[in-house]
Amino acid sequence: MTTMTKAENNQPGLAKTVGETSWLDNTADYLEKLIAPICNVMKYIAIAILAIMTVLIFVDVTIRNLFDKFIPGIMDLQAFSLVCMFYFAFAVLQLKKQHMEVDLVVKFFPVWIQNLIQSFVYLTSLVFFAVMFWQVVVQALNRMGILSSTLSIPISFFMFVTALGVFMLSAVLFIDSLRSISTIIKDGRGIWLIPVFACVALFMVSPFIVKSFFNLSGVSLGLLGLLVMLVLIIVIKMPIGFAMAMVGFFGLVIVRDNIQGPLSTLGYAPYSSLADFVLAVIPMFILMGALAYESGVGKGLLNAANAWFGRQPGGLGISAIVGCAGFSAVCSNSMACAVTMGKVALPEMRKHKYSDTLSTGCLAAGGTLGILIPPSMAIIFYGIVTEQSIGKLFMAGIIPGLLLTALFCLTVYIMAKIYPDVAPRGEKTTLKEKFQSLKGVRGMLFLIILIFGGIMGGFFSPTEAGAIGAVGAFIYALAIGKLTKKNFLESLDSSLLTTCNLLTILMGVGILGYFFAATQLPFKLAEVITGFSVNPYLILAGVILFYILLGCALNIIPMLLLTLPAIYPTITALGFDPIWFGIVLVVVMEMGQITPPVGINVFALKSIAPEVPIERIFIGTLPFVFTMLVCVIILVIFPNIVTFLPNLLF
């Protein structure tokens, strides 16, 4: 006989309901048996695509340099492969519950309330992605017959791949929704599903309510959207990419005169936001880091650094920062730098009993050097938008990059001196042991020379360098006997899931960017900040504050594209050097990579250290945010630090 709880006895008829709810679990189990194998097959296809992408770029670079030949349409192939790789693995992230989330508030609620919130998240996400699937199919059908410019491949094919990925995600969300509903009912709180369903319905129609009853300006609507996004991410722990995409779409529904435009954006943006060959640098360098980790390159490097500097306060942390700086010289992407060096350095820092807060904080901050030390995609985009010399900008970024690296190292040293427990000193080593330890840097030295030498020699671009580095790491691991079939497949698998985790956010950023552009929030705020008739440096301070705040919600490239057209003319009219301003701007935007609520590098570190609470990583980055502010102040007081090399060489 089943024992009834007190809660069940107080609700007549609930026992029967509890007995009947098993069909929800049974249905979910049955569907998962159908869906999970398909998701796994799609994941293996995505892994194969990642490997093929790497080899394809390597072959193109090789034949171009040896025979002056090239693979036709290689950039299109990279972009299309990236789309296929991501959407074939899209549902696996949900199946494994590995989407990036911010667990700051929900964990303090009672378990039954957490279950209600989780049901709301699953149901709203299910409805949203079901609509997205429908619209991606519509947009794919509308683009039948449209071919890519170089290879004449139907674009609609890759949009159908996008639709397949979104459909599979929706299927997994449906399974999760069934299970969450069943959990609530079996917990004896089935009556609470009524307000959950009501909230889901209200949330879905909220754009039409706001549009019908409120006459909000673009700025007010943009600020409201930002607030809603923060609530979704911070308060109810909705996956970051999901929240960005929803707010972006719902905001567009309010802004536009009819719903067809937002629906078209929802159907096309999931494809267009990722169909960019530049983004191929992310999986390539992540794969390189994974292979380097498996081959023991990072362990050897950090052991050597520990032998030389480990006895000093924060020695291993300083070595990690310097490693990030060195890797930044061959990686133009902040996330890729943070994840790659994190995979290599974090296990060693833990082994030496470093605090997770300091370890993840310094690695997240060190990763930001990837968008300052050239070659940098942020600098390239700034040069394109402002029509400034990219060569001058690259030269201008070298000394500030080294300065910020030194300041980061100083920060670690000071923290270790004040709080020695967070960064224990290593054991003393003899001079002989120090030199013997240098054998461990051979692998990293090989990769740095390979990548840096290839870029400086003009043999390949920074985007291609990721593939060359991955192949180089593969060859090195094979040569020293560290590569096995198992760890090779594990490297591909972990690289794929980490990449897809990050690209989910970029997909959300892509949709959100359309909304902010429509509201003209960045432009209006920029006009307010730069419109005061006061000292130019006060206006500059306002611009810096503006970018610090905006960086909390947007990625760097969208920030540049949305705001520079409005701010740049004012900055130059005030007499500030455009090259100098570009470097200062990049340093300021670096802060947004490690500040809440959407510090992209923090979540990148979270993806490879899921056991570390997200708030601890944010706390760990706070001293480095202060360090960045100090760096900005130094660059403002001494602008020649930025302009010296460009003026000398150009």
Side-chain angles (χ1 to χ4, degrees):
M1 180 180 294
T2 302
T3 303
M4 298 288 288
T5 66
K6 182 178 180 180
E8 290 169 341
N9 284 323
N10 289 337
Q11 298 184 49
L14 185 60
K16 181 180 179 181
T17 305
V18 172
E20 293 176 350
T21 56
S22 61
W23 72 270
L24 292 170
D25 290 321
N26 291 337
T27 303
D29 291 340
Y30 176 76
L31 290 175
E32 186 169 352
K33 288 180 181 179
L34 294 177
I35 296 298
I38 298 174
C39 289
N40 287 327
V41 170
M42 292 175 67
K43 185 189 75 171
Y44 293 136
I45 295 174
I47 288 175
I49 293 173
L50 172 58
I52 292 171
M53 282 174 63
T54 307
V55 173
L56 200 63
I57 297 172
F58 176 79
V59 170
D60 180 69
V61 170
T62 302
I63 64 175
R64 187 175 70 227
N65 285 285
L66 293 180
F67 308 108
D68 199 25
K69 303 289 184 180
F70 61 90
I71 298 177
I74 184 66
M75 290 184 180
D76 277 358
L77 288 175
Q78 290 180 58
F80 294 149
S81 297
L82 191 68
V83 170
C84 292
M85 182 194 73
F86 173 71
Y87 283 107
F88 272 117
F90 197 22
V92 175
L93 287 176
Q94 183 64 33
L95 200 62
K96 294 178 176 290
K97 304 298 179 288
Q98 290 187 359
H99 283 292
M100 290 187 185
E101 302 168 338
V102 180
D103 192 8
L104 291 178
V105 178
V106 171
K107 63 183 179 181
F108 296 109
F109 295 152
V111 174
W112 69 274
I113 294 181
Q114 292 184 39
N115 292 335
L116 294 176
I117 293 174
Q118 188 177 64
S119 291
F120 173 82
V121 171
Y122 285 153
L123 290 168
T124 52
S125 300
L126 170 61
V127 175
F128 176 75
F129 283 104
V131 174
M132 178 185 286
F133 163 70
W134 163 45
Q135 282 305 304
V136 173
V137 171
V138 170
Q139 293 303 314
L141 292 173
N142 290 341
R143 285 168 172 79
M144 294 286 286
I146 299 178
L147 307 178
S148 64
S149 57
T150 55
L151 295 177
S152 298
I153 300 176
I155 291 177
S156 58
F157 172 80
F158 301 100
M159 295 193 67
F160 282 122
V161 170
T162 301
L164 174 62
V166 176
F167 173 79
M168 295 302 295
L169 173 65
S170 301
V172 176
L173 286 169
F174 180 68
I175 295 171
D176 290 335
S177 298
L178 290 179
R179 287 211 168 102
S180 66
I181 292 172
S182 177
T183 298
I184 292 170
I185 295 176
K186 288 188 294 186
D187 193 38
R189 303 182 187 274
I191 192 69
W192 284 93
L193 286 171
I194 295 176
V196 170
F197 289 137
C199 288
V200 171
L202 181 64
F203 182 71
M204 288 299 163
V205 301
S206 60
F208 303 99
I209 295 175
V210 173
K211 188 173 185 176
S212 300
F213 296 99
F214 300 95
N215 185 21
L216 298 177
S217 66
V219 173
S220 299
L221 184 57
L223 292 174
L224 176 62
L226 184 60
L227 177 62
V228 171
M229 184 182 72
L230 296 181
V231 170
L232 293 176
I233 293 173
I234 296 176
V235 178
I236 70 171
K237 205 178 77 170
M238 180 175 284
I240 297 171
F242 292 11
M244 288 180 165
M246 286 188 197
V247 169
F249 171 67
F250 288 169
L252 284 174
V253 171
I254 299 172
V255 172
R256 300 303 184 190
D257 293 334
N258 58 70
I259 196 174
Q260 189 54 50
L263 286 174
S264 298
T265 300
L266 185 65
Y268 188 63
Y271 162 77
S272 63
S273 59
L274 299 182
D276 187 345
F277 77 94
V278 172
L279 298 179
V281 70
I282 299 175
M284 300 296 112
F285 276 116
I286 291 174
L287 178 58
M288 173 186 160
L291 291 171
Y293 171 74
E294 294 294 345
S295 65
V297 168
K299 183 177 180 180
L301 175 66
L302 288 172
N303 283 343
N306 191 51
W308 285 86
F309 307 112
R311 189 59 182 169
Q312 303 303 315
L316 194 54
I318 291 172
S319 300
I321 294 291
V322 173
C324 287
F327 194 73
S328 297
V330 294
C331 174
S332 59
N333 183 275
S334 176
M335 290 186 297
C337 182
V339 170
T340 301
M341 289 306 300
K343 281 181 174 291
V344 172
L346 192 57
E348 292 303 309
M349 297 176 82
R350 284 176 169 169
K351 178 181 176 181
H352 289 83
K353 302 188 184 305
Y354 268 60
S355 161
D356 280 344
T357 303
L358 175 62
S359 300
T360 54
C362 75
L363 286 167
T368 64
L369 296 170
I371 60 171
L372 177 60
I373 296 177
S376 162
M377 292 311 303
I379 289 177
I380 290 173
F381 271 91
Y382 177 87
I384 292 172
V385 173
T386 62
E387 299 182 350
Q388 293 296 316
S389 167
I390 294 176
K392 285 186 177 181
L393 287 165
F394 275 178
M395 291 300 102
I398 292 177
I399 297 179
L402 296 176
L403 171 64
L404 187 56
T405 300
L407 291 174
F408 279 165
C409 292
L410 180 61
T411 301
V412 174
Y413 178 84
I414 293 173
M415 291 176 65
K417 287 287 287 185
I418 298 175
Y419 306 105
D421 290 342
V422 304
R425 292 187 182 218
E427 298 179 357
K428 289 184 178 180
T429 55
T430 65
L431 187 60
K432 180 180 179 181
E433 289 173 333
K434 284 181 170 64
F435 279 105
Q436 286 179 338
S437 70
L438 293 178
K439 294 179 181 179
V441 308
R442 290 179 297 183
M444 185 63 75
L445 187 61
F446 162 70
L447 292 175
I448 290 177
I449 293 175
L450 173 67
I451 299 172
F452 189 74
I455 294 175
M456 296 301 293
F459 296 105
F460 44 77
S461 69
T463 301
E464 295 168 328
I468 304 301
V471 173
F474 173 83
I475 294 173
Y476 178 78
L478 197 63
I480 64 174
K482 291 289 185 71
L483 189 68
T484 65
K485 179 181 178 182
K486 180 181 178 181
N487 61 28
F488 175 60
L489 292 176
E490 287 176 350
S491 297
L492 287 170
D493 185 80
S494 64
S495 299
L496 172 70
L497 294 180
T498 301
T499 299
C500 291
N501 219 328
L502 302 177
L503 292 181
T504 299
I505 295 179
L506 292 182
M507 183 268 289
V509 167
I511 299 175
L512 183 67
Y514 284 107
F515 166 56
F516 281 143
T519 62
Q520 296 197 357
L521 174 64
F523 302 105
K524 297 298 183 182
L525 291 180
E527 289 176 3
V528 170
I529 292 174
T530 60
F532 298 107
S533 300
V534 294
N535 186 289
Y537 283 96
L538 288 178
I539 296 178
L540 177 66
V543 170
I544 290 173
L545 178 61
F546 164 67
Y547 275 106
I548 290 174
L549 295 175
L550 196 61
C552 294
L554 282 180
N555 201 9
I556 287 176
I557 302 305
M559 271 197 290
L560 283 172
L561 298 179
L562 288 171
T563 62
L564 268 182
I567 287 182
Y568 178 73
T570 304
I571 289 296
T572 54
L574 292 172
F576 292 111
D577 184 283
I579 299 294
W580 170 85
F581 177 70
I583 301 304
V584 171
L585 184 60
V586 169
V587 176
V588 170
M589 288 191 295
E590 283 181 342
M591 298 179 200
Q593 303 295 284
I594 57 174
T595 52
V598 193
I600 194 75
N601 277 19
V602 172
F603 294 106
L605 261 297
K606 175 67 175 177
S607 70
I608 61 172
E611 69 284 356
V612 182
I614 196 72
E615 61 267 27
R616 289 190 66 183
I617 306 179
F618 274 123
I619 291 172
T621 64
L622 289 179
F624 299 97
V625 174
F626 176 77
T627 301
M628 290 179 179
L629 286 173
V630 172
C631 183
V632 170
I633 292 172
I634 292 173
L635 296 182
V636 171
I637 297 175
F638 304 104
N640 286 339
I641 293 175
V642 177
T643 58
F644 172 73
L645 281 181
N647 291 339
L648 180 66
L649 300 176
F650 289 88

